[in-house]
Amino acid sequence: MAKMRGLLGKITMPFPLGRPTWPANVERTIPKSKLGANYDTEWARRYSVRLVRSLITDYVTKPAINIVASPKVLGTDRLKGIDVPVIFAANHASHLDTPLLLSVLPDDFRHKTAVGAGADYFFDRKYKAVIWSFLLGAIPIERTRVSRRSTDLALEILRDDWNLILFPEGGRTPDGFAREFKGGVAQLALKTGSTIVPVFIGGTYEVLGKNKKGFSPGSTVVNFGRPISPSGSNPRDLTKELQSAVNRLGDEVYSDYWDAALRSGASSTPDLADNGDNSWIAEWNRPRFSDTFEDSKKSRWPRLPFIDKPL
């Protein structure tokens, strides 16, 4: 009986009694998933959704951030008079970076700003895609490969005069040290003519670093830099200029404006990355900094004892 069923199973019935055959010269197509980079976030930019999101940002997210992260905001004067759309490009150390940055953006930008988020992490499940699109105005960005869909969506956002928050490192730092910036931000700026605003975010790694299980409330700082025009640049040079600008903003926070300006003029700004004795973190840990405090342990990276020092 089993042998008979096996023989019957091999018999192919012609259409319409059996399955239709697929033409040999036609490529089979697999239906695209509606998640990841293909998730449609247009609904999250409708006015009604934006209104609810703005209320949540102003009356829930911002107070919560003030409790957990106690942010000090610097450089907002550098944002005055900038034409939209703007790409805010920041170093990335924590999931806290996005709500922190959104909560401290001036009102002119805050409620019409989208966030580029990893398609493989924030949009891999339907419920996650809905939550982050709604709460953050997030759009899916492919981090591991070049994606036409992600690029087109980001271009569409900017051409509709929406601002965009992007993290050029492509992901959170696992150890608190910055990584090399990728060229996506520069490519978008050059294609749309959008101004880039470099942003340094400090202290979030200690509050909620990667692989950390819970919050450790502490102090953070957000320092906005001078706008960078993409005109007359190529992607590689613009990316280097952006990373240098973020390095200088970190130097301003951990030393002072004047000394940071002198080092920038001499092309000796310490790097946010861990480059041994040349890194700004190594400079921060030298005795000339720790001698400033009674308890030298408080001056070690990534503490922020200079946050309350006026620039």
Side-chain angles (χ1 to χ4, degrees):
M1 183 63 68
K3 188 174 182 180
M4 181 63 69
R5 285 198 297 267
L7 291 173
L8 291 175
K10 294 180 181 180
I11 297 175
T12 302
M13 300 295 292
F15 182 78
L17 299 177
R19 292 182 179 180
T21 58
W22 194 275
N25 61 340
V26 177
E27 183 180 358
R28 288 178 179 265
T29 57
I30 300 174
K32 291 183 178 179
S33 169
K34 293 184 178 181
L35 294 174
N38 296 310
Y39 182 75
D40 185 4
T41 59
E42 185 179 358
W43 64 270
R45 294 185 292 280
R46 295 173 184 166
Y47 179 78
S48 57
V49 180
R50 287 171 52 198
L51 180 61
V52 176
R53 183 164 59 243
S54 67
L55 293 173
I56 294 174
T57 300
D58 291 346
Y59 298 106
V60 178
T61 304
K62 191 169 185 177
I65 289 292
N66 289 336
I67 293 172
V68 173
S70 303
K72 183 178 181 69
V73 185
L74 307 169
T76 52
D77 57 305
R78 295 164 173 164
L79 303 180
K80 294 180 180 179
I82 303 178
D83 293 331
V84 296
V86 173
I87 301 176
F88 294 97
N91 59 303
H92 196 20
S94 167
H95 282 322
L96 192 64
D97 293 336
T98 299
L100 170 63
L101 186 49
L102 280 173
S103 70
V104 302
L105 280 177
D107 292 340
D108 294 344
F109 302 97
R110 185 186 309 157
H111 301 309
K112 200 173 180 183
T113 296
V115 178
D120 58 316
Y121 187 94
F122 293 95
F123 291 87
D124 61 335
R125 297 287 186 274
K126 181 66 177 288
Y127 77 92
K128 291 168 68 175
V130 172
I131 289 173
W132 299 123
S133 298
F134 173 64
L135 291 179
L136 301 178
I139 63 171
I141 299 292
E142 289 280 8
R143 300 185 295 179
T144 58
R145 62 186 179 89
V146 177
S147 169
R148 180 66 178 269
R149 167 62 180 165
S150 295
T151 302
D152 288 347
L153 180 57
L155 290 172
E156 178 185 339
I157 292 288
L158 293 168
R159 287 168 177 163
D160 286 344
D161 287 338
W162 275 73
N163 307 299
L164 189 58
I165 292 175
L166 293 174
F167 300 102
E169 294 169 73
R172 294 168 295 159
T173 170
D175 53 14
F177 299 105
R179 293 179 291 179
E180 184 178 359
F181 283 10
K182 298 179 180 179
V185 171
Q187 295 278 6
L188 288 174
L190 289 168
K191 286 184 178 181
T192 60
S194 302
T195 299
I196 303 174
V197 173
V199 185
F200 171 76
I201 302 175
T204 54
Y205 178 77
E206 190 172 39
V207 175
L208 185 64
K210 191 173 184 178
N211 301 321
K212 198 168 186 177
K213 294 182 179 179
F215 288 95
S216 298
S219 298
T220 59
V221 61
V222 178
N223 192 11
F224 293 98
R226 298 188 185 281
I228 299 174
S229 172
S231 61
S233 300
N234 61 59
R236 180 174 297 180
D237 291 342
L238 188 56
T239 300
K240 290 181 179 178
E241 182 181 357
L242 172 59
Q243 187 146 27
S244 296
V246 176
N247 286 339
R248 172 174 170 169
L249 293 172
D251 195 16
E252 286 181 8
V253 168
Y254 289 100
S255 58
D256 58 68
Y257 177 86
W258 179 248
D259 287 338
L262 291 176
R263 281 189 286 271
S264 178
S267 300
S268 60
T269 300
D271 200 326
L272 285 172
D274 180 19
N275 292 330
D277 292 337
N278 294 323
S279 73
W280 68 271
I281 294 173
E283 288 291 328
W284 174 250
N285 285 330
R286 293 188 192 282
R288 63 190 179 91
F289 288 103
S290 60
D291 289 346
T292 309
F293 308 95
E294 293 181 2
D295 182 1
S296 61
K297 291 183 180 179
K298 291 183 179 180
S299 68
R300 308 297 289 182
W301 163 258
R303 302 287 180 181
L304 300 175
F306 278 122
I307 284 181
D308 295 324
K309 180 178 178 180
L311 298 178

